[in-house]
Amino acid sequence: MSDNDPRPAFRDPNLPRAERVADLLSRLTLDEKIGLLHQYHRPVERLGMGPFKTGTEALHGLAWLGEATVFPQVVALGATWNPELVEQVGAAVADEVLAFNHNDPVKVGRNVWAPTVNPLRDPRWGRNEEGYSEDAGMTGLMGAAYARGLKGDNGSVWKTAPSVKHFLAYGNEADRCTTSSNMPPRVLREYEFAAHRPALASGDAVAVMLSYNLVNGRPAHVTPLVNDELRTWTDEEVFIVSDAYAPNNLAILQGYFEDLPTAYAAAVKAGLDSFTQDDLDSQGVLVHVETAIARGLLDEGDIDTAVRRNLHVRFGLGEFDPEDPYAHIGDEVVNSPEHQALAREAATQSITLLKNDGVLPLLRPGKPSPKKIAVVGPFADLQMQDWYSGTLPYAVTARQALSERAEVVYCEGVDRIRLRHKSGYVTAVEDGKALDITDTTGAAAQFDLFDWGGWSYTARNAATGLYVDGRLDGTVGADSVGPHEFDVHETFRIVELEGGKVAIQQIHRAEGTENGKWFALQDARIVLSDDRADAAEFDFEFVSKGHDKAVALAADADVVIAVLGDHPLVNGRETEDRTDLRLPSAQEWLLRRVHEANPNTILVMTSSYPFAANWAAKHARAVVWSGHGGQEWGNALADVLYGDRDAEGRLPQTWYTDAAELPAMLDYDIVASDATYLYYLGQPLYPFGHGLSYAEFKYANLKADKAHAGPGDELNVTVDVTNTSGRDGVEVVQLYTHQCGSRVKQPLRQLRRFAKVRLAAGETRTVSFTVAVDELAHWDNVTDRMIVEKSRQRLMVGRSATDIVLSASVRVDGEVVGARDLSKPLAATANDLYEGVLWRDENRTSGDVIAAEEAGGWIMLGDCDFEPGYATVTARVAGQASQITLRVDDPLDGDVLAKIDTPATDGVYDYTDATVELGRIEGVKDLYVTFESGPVRLASLTFGRES
C-alpha cells in the first residue's frame, strides 16, 4: 500500500485493531516513530496523524482544566464500599473528559492517568487520599470499577484510555525518587500485584504509569517486572508511561546509569513506551533516543515495539475511524444536574459514622430537632480542593447545608493575631502585594492563624482576606488564595526564641537547599532570607482567641458540630509525608473547649487520611469522618446528620491510636512488620471496615456449601442478615478468611468479599458470596509459586475486621509443602525470615539478591533437607570481602555448619563463587545465614556432594 491509498488499511474500522496498527506502523519512517515516544506525539501530516497527548488527570474528576464536577477524594470513594457507584463516577468523569477534548483535542488528551491502585499501607503517606483502601484486593476491585467507567467501551471505541498508577511498591513521599522499597516475594505477589492486576486482567485499564521510587535497589522505570509479570496478566497490549520527569532521574538523581541515552535505552528495553519529560518540549527526549540508536543500544525493532503500543491506544480511542461515536457529548455534561446528583450520592455514601451515643440522627420520631446549631472549626464553611481535584464549580459547605434546617451560628475558631516588631507591626500594604512594618494595629496588621499540624501554619490577612505568601523572588505579601499550587509557598513554621519572641520560617525549600527561608527586614519591608542570622524577631499579640468565640457560641446552642480536618496541600500531600497521626493541636484544643462548654458536641472530620482522634473517641457524643467530599459534601453531610440517609460509609483503612503503632515508613514488608489490618496485633482506634448505621442488624445461619474443597473449586457462602430496628438501614456485610495452620505466617484475617445491602425495617435477606479456592493461595518460597496449602480455612462474617459475628470452617485439600531440595541452588531471596538485610538488584536488568550493609544481619531458609552426602557449600557473592556463617536452628547460637570468607569483587554486580567444606549434618533443618561483616551481596547457596 502507498501513503496515497484512498482508504489505507489503518483507516478501515472493519479490520482487526492489530492489523490496522501494523499497517500504520509500516508506513512510518524511523524518525516519525521516534517522534511518538514522547508524551506529546509529533504529528505526521503526510499520513493525517495529528497531535496526540498522553496524560489527562482524572483521579476523582477532571483536573487542572477549569470547572468540572468535583467528586469525593478517592479515599472517600473507597469508603463507599460500592464498586458500582465508583464505576458510575468513572463514567461521568469520562463524559466530561470527552466534552473538554471535543473543545480542545490538543490540550485535553483522552489517555487519562487514573485510577491510583497503590494500597494504603501506611496512613502517613502523603498521597493517602489517592488510594482506595489498605486492602489490596479491595483496591484492585475499586480501581477496576473506576477504570471500567472511564473506559466506557462501546465494543469498538473507548471513551478514554485509563492508566493505573503507580507501578510499583510506591507509598512514601520523602526522598521518593531515591528510596528503595524492599519487596520480598510474598509481599510483592500477595499485596502489590493483587492491587495492580485486576484492572489490567479485566481489560478495564489499558495503560500503566511507573513510579518514582526504586524497588529492591532498581528504579521502577527499568523493572523487569513490567515485561516478565505485568504484561502476562492480559492478552491485550499494555501501554506503559513514565511519571513526570522520572526518566531523567535514572541518570541524575538515582545515578543508576552513566548518561541519559543509556538510561533511555534501558527503559525502552524494560518496557517503557512513552516518556513524560520536559513538558511540551520533546526535543531532549528524542535526541537521547536517537543517540541510543546510534550507539547500538536500541534498534528499530525496539522502537517499533514501543510505538505499536502507543498506536494501540490511539486506535482504541477511535482516532483513525471515519466517525466519532461520542461526538454528541458536549459541554452540557460538564457539571450537569445528573453529575451534581451523582456527586451528592457519592459524598453521602462515603460519610462514615465512627461513634454515636444516640445523639444522631438529629431528626427522628419522638425527639425534637435542634433549633440552634453551633458550627465551628476551619472547615465549618469551607470546601477544599486537593492537587488532583478539578476546579470547584460551586461548593456546598456544612454551614450552608445545615442553615437550611436550623438556625446556625458559626465561627472558624482560629486565633487572630498581630506580629509586633520592635519598630512596629507587620502590615499588608499595596492591597497585599507587600508586608511592611508600620504603626497600624487595624485589620491590615491582623492575621487569622490556621494550624494544619506538623508545625505548619497559614496566615490570612484580615484586610485582604488573602494569605501570606513567600514568593520565589524573595518578596512577601498577603495576596494569595492560599496553598493551591504544586510548590506551596504559603506555609510557615513559628520558631520560638529566647525571651518569648518568635521567628517565622517558610516551609518551602528552594531546590538544592535543606531549609526554608526566614522572614527578615529590608528597609521596613518583610523579605525572605536564607541566613538564619537575618531572621526578624517578633512578639505575638492576640487580637482575639478563636476558641473563646467558639465557646460562647457553643454554650448557647442546642448542639455543636465541630468540623475539623486537614488541608489537602499541607502536612501530608504529594512530596510530603506526615510524621504523626494527631489532629492539629489548635483544632483539638478547639474541640475540647467547645465540648467543655456544651457536651452535646459532634466531631466531623473531613480529611485525606486517618487521625489518632483518641480524645474525641472517648468524649465526643458522635464522631463522623469522610474524605474531602467535593462540591456537594455539605448537602451530603446534612442528609446523614439529620437521618434523611443512613450512615453508609465504612473505613477503607485502619485508624491507629498513635504513629508509634506503625512500622518505619520505609518498611514495605507488611508480613514481617505486622502491618495493616492483615497482620496488626494491636487494638486500633477504629478497625478496617468499621462504620455504624442508624439501624441495627442481626446475622444468622452462616453456611458454606462444602465441608471440604480443593483447588479449582468454588465456595458458596451464605448468611442471613436481618434489620432488627424500626427504620430502614444499610449494612456492609464483610466476609473474611483465616488459614489455620501453615508453614509460613498467615494474615490474621483477610477480606475476601463484601456486600452493601439496603434493608427495610424488619427485613431479612440472605447474602451470598462466591469465593474461588484458588484465591486462598499464598506465595511459597520453597516451590517458587502461588500454592493453596492443605489447611482449615476459617470463614468469618462481620461488620469490620475486628467485629466478627459468625464463623464457620472448611477443610481445604491443598498441597503439603515438602522440604527444600538442596540439589538445586537456593536463592537467598527465597528466605522465610530475615533481619537486618535488604533486597537489592542482582544486576541492572534482572534478578534480586540479599544485601547486608553491615554486620549482624541474617536470613533463614526453612525446612532444608540435608540428605546424607552433602560436603561443600558455595556462596555466590559480590561486594567487599566479608564473612558469612551458616548455622542451623538459630542465627546466633545454632550449630555452625560453615564459615565462608568471601573475596572482594569488582563491584556489587561482579559475582564470584566462594566454596568451603560443610560440617556434618543430616535431616530437615532451618538454615540460618548470618552476615558477620559487610557490605556484601548474596545471590545463592549451592550444596555439593562428596566426590
Side-chain angles (χ1 to χ4, degrees):
M1 289 186 174
S2 71
D3 297 344
N4 297 318
D5 289 338
R7 187 175 180 178
F10 75 84
R11 293 197 177 276
D12 185 351
N14 297 312
L15 292 176
R17 186 174 297 155
E19 188 174 330
R20 298 174 70 191
V21 169
D23 177 70
L24 179 54
L25 184 62
S26 71
R27 298 170 185 269
L28 294 168
T29 67
L30 177 58
D31 183 62
E32 289 168 341
K33 293 172 189 175
I34 294 171
L36 304 180
L37 298 185
H38 188 265
Q39 178 185 15
Y40 289 85
H41 288 194
R42 237 174 13 194
V44 183
E45 294 180 2
R46 68 181 184 84
L47 295 175
M49 292 180 65
F52 182 84
K53 170 184 174 288
T54 69
T56 292
E57 299 292 354
L59 200 60
H60 56 107
L62 182 63
W64 304 359
L65 295 168
E67 290 186 359
T69 308
V70 177
F71 294 95
Q73 289 180 309
V74 176
V75 71
L77 294 176
T80 69
W81 287 61
N82 189 338
E84 292 78 16
L85 176 63
V86 170
E87 181 178 346
Q88 293 174 37
V89 172
V93 174
D95 283 352
E96 298 200 10
V97 170
L98 280 167
F100 275 76
N101 170 264
H102 289 154
N103 289 331
D104 190 345
V106 175
K107 182 179 181 181
V108 185
R110 287 164 57 195
N111 165 228
V112 293
W113 287 348
T116 296
V117 294
N118 301 106
L120 302 179
R121 169 188 62 92
D122 192 311
R124 295 169 297 186
W125 183 33
R127 301 179 76 169
N128 190 84
E129 77 274 6
E130 295 185 38
Y132 290 98
S133 175
E134 76 182 70
D135 181 78
M138 182 175 172
T139 295
L141 177 69
M142 293 297 217
Y146 191 68
R148 188 159 52 252
L150 284 172
K151 189 180 180 187
D153 193 348
N154 70 353
S156 59
V157 177
W158 315 327
K159 287 185 174 180
T160 74
S163 308
V164 297
K165 58 183 188 178
H166 313 78
F167 192 80
L168 179 71
Y170 171 44
N172 66 277
E173 295 304 296
D175 301 319
R176 62 182 179 174
C177 296
T178 55
T179 56
S180 179
S181 305
N182 254 23
M183 275 290 112
R186 281 195 68 190
V187 183
L188 177 70
R189 295 171 184 280
E190 296 176 28
Y191 195 60
E192 289 291 331
F193 284 0
H196 285 82
R197 184 189 296 112
L200 293 168
S202 63
D204 296 315
V206 301
V208 173
M209 175 184 281
L210 302 178
S211 56
Y212 285 114
N213 55 291
L214 297 87
V215 180
N216 293 350
R218 182 183 294 112
H221 277 66
V222 290
T223 177
L225 296 171
V226 167
N227 288 330
D228 296 347
E229 293 287 345
L230 184 149
R231 284 192 163 118
T232 68
W233 299 342
T234 175
D235 294 331
E236 298 295 323
E237 295 278 16
V238 179
F239 177 53
I240 305 293
V241 304
S242 80
D243 209 336
Y245 283 78
N248 282 12
N249 291 344
L250 292 167
I252 301 174
L253 279 178
Q254 294 164 344
Y256 199 72
F257 297 100
E258 60 186 16
D259 59 25
L260 288 173
T262 305
Y264 279 34
V268 171
K269 291 275 193 182
L272 182 66
D273 305 312
S274 179
F275 291 82
T276 312
Q277 182 71 47
D278 300 332
D279 297 323
L280 281 74
D281 184 6
S282 64
Q283 190 58 34
V285 166
L286 306 187
V287 167
H288 295 317
V289 173
E290 290 165 354
T291 302
I293 294 172
R295 291 183 186 173
L297 303 175
L298 291 173
D299 59 30
E300 189 164 2
D302 298 317
I303 304 302
D304 284 352
T305 298
V307 171
R308 185 180 71 247
R309 296 178 184 132
N310 277 269
L311 294 178
H312 176 75
V313 170
R314 294 179 70 164
F315 276 97
L317 293 170
E319 179 179 347
F320 303 106
D321 292 356
E323 296 181 1
D324 177 4
Y326 307 117
H328 62 283
I329 297 176
D331 291 342
E332 70 282 350
V333 304
V334 179
N335 192 36
S336 64
E338 293 79 11
H339 291 183
Q340 293 173 11
L342 183 60
R344 183 169 180 165
E345 182 63 25
T348 301
Q349 292 200 32
S350 76
I351 292 173
T352 307
L353 182 60
L354 302 178
K355 176 188 177 182
N356 184 23
D357 72 355
V359 67
L360 294 177
L362 295 176
L363 180 63
R364 53 186 159 173
K367 174 188 174 184
S369 62
K371 295 180 179 180
K372 180 186 284 189
I373 302 175
V375 183
V376 302
F379 289 99
D381 197 31
L382 178 66
Q383 273 302 97
M384 288 281 193
Q385 298 173 183
D386 63 28
W387 179 239
Y388 291 103
S389 287
T391 302
L392 286 162
Y394 64 89
V396 181
T397 67
R399 177 192 183 187
Q400 291 169 344
L402 292 168
S403 293
E404 297 180 3
R405 299 171 183 257
E407 178 189 353
V408 167
V409 292
Y410 148 81
C411 76
E412 291 174 302
V414 299
D415 295 333
R416 179 163 291 187
I417 65 162
R418 283 189 289 259
L419 282 177
R420 180 167 55 84
H421 187 260
K422 62 183 178 181
S423 55
Y425 292 92
V426 176
T427 307
V429 298
E430 301 172 13
D431 295 324
K433 292 183 176 61
L435 298 181
D436 284 355
I437 301 297
T438 75
D439 293 333
T440 302
T441 59
Q446 299 176 10
F447 298 87
D448 296 322
L449 190 64
F450 292 84
D451 177 5
W452 299 116
W455 307 105
S456 299
Y457 296 88
T458 56
R460 184 183 63 205
N461 185 256
T464 67
L466 297 172
Y467 287 80
V468 175
D469 177 14
R471 308 184 187 103
L472 292 177
D473 63 2
T475 61
V476 182
D479 59 354
S480 170
V481 296
H484 63 287
E485 295 182 338
F486 190 77
D487 289 326
V488 173
H489 302 137
E490 297 88 352
T491 54
F492 304 89
R493 300 194 197 285
I494 300 169
V495 180
E496 295 184 8
L497 307 175
E498 291 183 5
K501 295 186 181 297
V502 299
I504 308 298
Q505 184 181 27
Q506 187 179 37
I507 292 176
H508 172 75
R509 297 175 296 171
E511 188 173 350
T513 63
E514 295 184 0
N515 298 298
K517 296 181 179 182
W518 299 86
F519 273 25
L521 280 179
Q522 187 178 85
D523 298 326
R525 176 152 289 185
I526 301 294
V527 296
L528 296 176
S529 173
D530 294 317
D531 192 342
R532 170 67 179 83
D534 293 337
E537 297 184 359
F538 303 100
D539 289 299
F540 258 52
E541 288 187 0
F542 287 93
V543 179
S544 62
K545 295 286 190 73
H547 297 175
D548 292 341
K549 182 178 179 181
V551 164
L553 296 179
D556 192 41
D558 297 315
V559 64
V560 180
I561 299 175
V563 192
L564 312 180
D566 78 302
H567 192 305
L569 295 180
V570 179
N571 186 31
R573 47 151 294 172
E574 187 168 358
T575 73
E576 181 184 0
D577 299 312
R578 286 190 295 167
T579 58
D580 62 60
L581 305 179
R582 294 188 294 271
L583 273 169
S585 57
Q587 293 190 34
E588 176 147 331
W589 182 239
L590 170 66
L591 175 65
R592 294 188 185 207
R593 290 288 311 279
V594 296
H595 179 271
E596 183 180 10
N598 187 340
N600 211 27
T601 293
I602 297 164
L603 170 61
V604 173
M605 289 176 284
T606 175
S607 67
S608 305
Y609 41 64
F611 284 114
N614 303 329
W615 187 90
K618 292 180 180 178
H619 298 284
R621 293 201 62 188
V623 179
V624 177
W625 171 81
S626 80
H628 292 281
Q631 62 198 51
E632 283 285 341
W633 181 76
N635 283 330
L637 178 67
D639 287 344
V640 173
L641 293 182
Y642 269 82
D644 297 351
R645 293 288 299 270
D646 197 11
E648 297 188 25
R650 301 294 185 268
L651 290 181
Q653 59 189 136
T654 305
W655 283 43
Y656 299 90
T657 57
D658 194 280
E661 294 293 294
L662 297 166
M665 190 74 193
L666 292 179
D667 190 345
Y668 278 75
D669 188 346
I670 65 169
V671 181
S673 63
D674 294 328
T676 77
Y677 84 95
L678 295 165
Y679 298 96
Y680 179 57
L681 296 167
Q683 183 66 37
L685 181 65
Y686 297 114
F688 171 78
H690 173 71
L692 304 176
S693 166
Y694 293 140
E696 295 181 358
F697 302 92
K698 179 182 178 182
Y699 290 65
N701 302 321
L702 175 64
K703 298 177 183 178
D705 67 336
K706 298 178 180 68
H708 289 78
D713 290 342
E714 289 186 338
L715 293 172
N716 294 306
V717 182
T718 59
V719 64
D720 294 338
V721 183
T722 302
N723 181 349
T724 60
S725 68
R727 60 166 291 155
D728 299 349
V730 178
E731 177 71 316
V732 178
V733 184
Q734 302 166 39
L735 175 66
Y736 297 85
T737 66
H738 169 67
Q739 180 171 324
C740 304
S742 174
R743 73 169 297 274
V744 296
K745 183 178 180 179
Q746 291 290 340
L748 301 171
R749 81 288 286 174
Q750 185 168 357
L751 182 71
R752 297 299 181 181
R753 294 290 185 273
F754 61 87
K756 194 169 202 175
V757 293
R758 302 176 186 279
L759 297 177
E763 180 184 359
T764 297
R765 188 179 307 169
T766 299
V767 178
S768 300
F769 301 107
T770 301
V771 179
V773 171
D774 291 346
E775 291 183 44
L776 306 179
H778 67 269
W779 182 259
D780 177 56
N781 285 321
V782 174
T783 58
D784 201 35
R785 59 185 172 85
M786 296 292 287
I787 67 164
V788 176
E789 205 172 11
K790 183 176 182 179
S791 64
R792 180 171 65 87
Q793 289 282 345
R794 186 181 177 210
L795 309 176
M796 302 174 286
V797 170
R799 303 181 179 93
S800 76
T802 63
D803 187 2
I804 300 301
V805 181
L806 297 172
S807 67
S809 64
V810 173
R811 290 285 177 181
V812 173
D813 300 321
E815 296 185 50
V816 176
V817 179
R820 293 179 189 261
D821 181 0
L822 300 188
S823 67
K824 303 174 183 178
L826 287 184
T829 55
N831 63 76
D832 294 310
L833 293 173
Y834 66 94
E835 184 68 41
V837 298
L838 300 171
W839 265 251
R840 284 295 180 260
D841 49 332
E842 185 171 4
N843 55 60
R844 286 190 174 91
T845 58
S846 65
D848 292 335
V849 297
I850 293 296
E853 299 299 321
E854 55 189 25
W858 54 264
I859 61 174
M860 189 274 278
L861 296 150
D863 303 322
C864 292
D865 188 1
F866 288 96
E867 297 176 346
Y870 286 113
T872 64
V873 60
T874 299
R876 186 159 183 76
V877 294
Q880 296 184 15
S882 65
Q883 186 178 76
I884 298 173
T885 303
L886 273 57
R887 293 184 173 91
V888 293
D889 296 334
D890 190 273
L892 300 177
D893 300 323
D895 292 341
V896 175
L897 294 182
K899 285 186 177 291
I900 308 172
D901 292 315
T902 69
T905 68
D906 292 335
V908 295
Y909 300 135
D910 179 38
Y911 286 83
T912 190
D913 291 338
T915 302
V916 299
E917 292 184 356
L918 185 71
R920 295 187 62 82
I921 184 174
E922 292 184 10
V924 176
K925 303 289 185 181
D926 291 339
L927 175 65
Y928 285 84
V929 181
T930 304
F931 299 91
E932 308 294 354
S933 59
V936 64
R937 294 189 176 190
L938 174 65
S940 63
L941 296 173
T942 302
F943 294 88
R945 292 185 177 275
E946 297 172 340
S947 57

